[in-house]
Amino acid sequence: MIQQRLLTWQLWLARECVGDRPLRRQKPLAVSSLSPERVAQSFGSILTIIGTPSQPPKLRGKSPGWPRDTPRTPRKRYPTVKKGRGRFHSQSKYRKSSA
């Protein structure tokens, strides 16, 4: 509740600093009669002037990647497992002998 009141006051005090940027369906208003909602719509212009308190990301450079003339080993391929009625080779040892 307190945060909402502080935000409303912040928008109320910022209405002198922003210009009216109405949407297409809205009528233009004088700066003195801007509502907090209309100030919030154009609050982005204040943020671009103020900037951000965070620092820009540090560039780490380009990664070297694979060393030159290093042979790459292909990945290991596994056989495809298919569902079906047939018997698999691994099941042959579990088969009962009919002797």
Side-chain angles (χ1 to χ4, degrees):
M1 186 71 171
I2 293 174
Q3 292 176 347
Q4 184 181 8
R5 289 181 183 173
L6 290 175
L7 181 63
T8 305
W9 268 108
Q10 180 183 11
L11 293 173
W12 189 262
L13 294 172
R15 70 182 176 156
E16 300 295 329
C17 300
V18 298
D20 187 24
R21 299 173 69 187
L23 299 174
R24 284 185 275 159
R25 63 181 179 268
Q26 296 172 334
K27 295 180 182 178
L29 295 175
V31 175
S32 61
S33 63
L34 287 178
S35 66
E37 181 183 355
R38 294 289 285 267
V39 175
Q41 286 178 1
S42 55
F43 203 73
S45 62
I46 291 179
L47 293 179
T48 56
I49 294 170
I50 294 174
T52 177
S54 65
Q55 296 179 352
K58 293 181 180 179
L59 299 176
R60 300 292 182 188
K62 189 175 179 183
S63 61
W66 280 80
R68 290 183 183 243
D69 300 328
T70 303
R72 297 186 189 185
T73 57
R75 67 183 182 94
K76 186 176 179 183
R77 303 286 179 157
Y78 293 97
T80 307
V81 177
K82 297 181 180 178
K83 294 182 179 180
R85 294 185 181 182
R87 296 183 183 256
F88 300 101
H89 296 291
S90 62
Q91 292 178 347
S92 61
K93 60 183 174 183
Y94 297 114
R95 216 182 294 166
K96 294 181 181 178
S97 61
S98 58

